[in-house]
Amino acid sequence: MRFALTDEQQMLRESVRGALARELPLARVRECPERRDGGAALRALAAAQGWTGIGIDEDAGGQGGGVVEQVVLAEELGYAAAPTSSIIAGALAARVLAVGGERAAALLEELSEGTVVVVVAIDGAGAGGAATVTGGRAHGSVANVLAAPEADVAIVLDGAGAAHAVDVRASGCAVRARELVDPGRSIGVLDLDGAPAEALGAVGAGDLAALGAVLVSAEAVGAAARLLEMTVEYVTQRQQFGVVIGSFQAIKHAAADMLVEIETARSAVYYAAWALGSGDAAAAAAVSMAKAYAVPAAASVADKALALHGAVGFTWEHDLHLFLKRTHTARALFGSAAAHRELVAATLDLTGTADRSPVGVS
């Protein structure tokens, strides 16, 4: 079987990359933390380009496509060091809203149009905390909610498999933004103390963490790819002893290792995206293998890029740190590499007690 992006998916990649390069170049991205407008700028661009509707059925007001298209978008966001987490958070929210009732459908259309930022109140780092809904009121606290500081609406999932919409600006709801080493990674704590909660209907939210893991992994791969490009450009210009350092064998080997890590990680992520989107039986294992390998690989590429840049790579003025921070903050989101390796191990026979006969042999 040959797996490659379709013409439409390749066009999506090129369109997203071109729009981000024009509207949010790195010089502009670097200004976002001080100007505090990076999220708004990218959300406006995403809405204008229709990115907020990717993965949402056209009948529901979206652009169509599925998990693979969302991964294409996430990888390009990582490649551009996008200054917001709201696009990925919206993809998770869309998965919840797609199977809800009339109110969910209306909210999904607003999400697709980019007029509201919707997040799901799940702990992206597994630190604990939960919310409950009783009598139309939400209570509890959820840590590490992706894009919570940017949210207009938070979707609270109760233990019975139902979803409820909470206006983040309403009385009884508060968001505490977390200060992260990556200023473009938006995460917050959602505190609920009797906030009004509107029922959205039953949802199928069991694979939300899986989708989050795939999208965060894709974002890390995109950042790593940008780091490799920056590194190759640097080592083919920087001279030492009268020659460019890129001609040294050790530099060539390090760059080759970076390329291998990126391509292997990308393959794992896209296979996981395909498996998750198609409902393949091996989707859970594929997602865990992708998260366990791709994000550490991207972080490894970032570390190599830093080493190959030398002292200049450690400076705030160089753009390298934007991508290095993005790869490293992805490590703890939606399951660590160790946690996902444990999930993969649970699917394997590591005791040697299972039937080891070849398939088809009785």
Side-chain angles (χ1 to χ4, degrees):
M1 181 178 71
R2 179 177 180 272
F3 183 86
L5 295 180
T6 65
D7 291 342
E8 290 78 8
Q9 290 164 346
Q10 187 60 39
M11 287 176 61
L12 172 62
R13 178 190 295 280
E14 295 169 359
S15 173
V16 173
R17 181 169 297 191
L20 287 169
R22 289 191 308 271
E23 305 298 330
L24 279 173
L26 290 182
R28 175 74 175 83
V29 171
R30 291 177 63 88
E31 298 173 352
C32 290
E34 293 183 2
R35 295 172 57 166
R36 298 183 181 274
D37 65 348
L42 181 53
R43 290 195 300 272
L45 177 62
Q49 296 288 328
W51 301 342
T52 48
I54 293 175
I56 299 174
D57 289 343
E58 294 182 24
D59 292 342
Q63 299 292 323
V67 180
V68 173
E69 285 75 16
Q70 290 174 328
V71 161
V72 170
L73 175 60
E75 185 179 351
E76 291 307 313
L77 293 174
Y79 183 88
T84 178
S85 298
S86 62
I87 310 302
I88 290 178
L92 301 182
R95 202 169 186 86
V96 175
L97 296 171
V99 291
E102 290 185 8
R103 178 67 183 99
L107 190 56
L108 180 63
E109 186 172 353
E110 293 180 87
L111 172 63
S112 174
E113 293 172 350
T115 56
V116 297
V117 176
V118 186
V119 304
V120 184
I122 58 173
D123 186 343
T132 59
V133 177
T134 304
R137 298 282 175 172
H139 300 268
S141 180
V142 185
N144 306 305
V145 178
L146 200 63
E150 304 174 69
D152 299 306
V153 177
I155 299 175
V156 177
L157 308 175
D158 65 22
H164 305 264
V166 174
D167 185 341
V168 173
R169 294 155 297 191
S171 174
C173 181
V175 175
R176 291 175 284 145
R178 291 196 58 186
E179 293 293 333
L180 303 176
V181 67
D182 179 2
R185 180 80 74 188
S186 172
I187 291 178
V189 180
L190 184 68
D191 293 319
L192 301 165
D193 185 16
E198 184 178 7
L200 297 175
V203 297
D207 59 354
L208 279 180
L211 178 59
V214 170
L215 295 178
V216 166
S217 298
E219 188 186 30
V221 169
R226 186 67 173 270
L227 283 168
L228 177 58
E229 290 183 9
M230 293 167 60
T231 302
V232 170
E233 181 180 5
Y234 178 76
V235 300
T236 53
Q237 294 177 357
R238 174 78 165 88
Q239 291 193 9
Q240 192 172 12
F241 310 118
V243 296
V244 295
I245 63 174
S247 64
F248 301 155
Q249 198 74 356
I251 301 295
K252 292 179 180 179
H253 285 178
D257 288 343
M258 292 166 70
L259 177 62
V260 170
E261 287 177 305
I262 291 169
E263 291 302 319
T264 306
R266 181 179 285 123
S267 296
V269 169
Y270 275 92
Y271 173 70
W274 169 84
L276 187 61
S278 63
D280 190 84
V287 168
S288 287
M289 286 189 285
K291 184 62 166 64
Y293 179 82
V295 174
S300 172
V301 168
D303 293 344
K304 290 184 177 72
L306 182 61
L308 292 178
H309 274 79
V312 69
F314 284 84
T315 63
W316 177 263
E317 288 73 15
H318 201 282
D319 292 330
L320 186 148
H321 70 92
L322 298 171
F323 302 95
L324 182 144
K325 292 171 181 176
R326 186 59 51 92
T327 63
H328 279 277
T329 56
R331 285 177 174 270
L333 288 174
F334 300 106
S336 66
H340 280 287
R341 284 194 294 267
E342 289 290 340
L343 292 174
V344 174
T347 69
L348 305 175
D349 171 35
L350 301 179
T351 64
T353 59
D355 180 14
R356 305 185 66 82
S357 301
V359 175
V361 177
S362 58

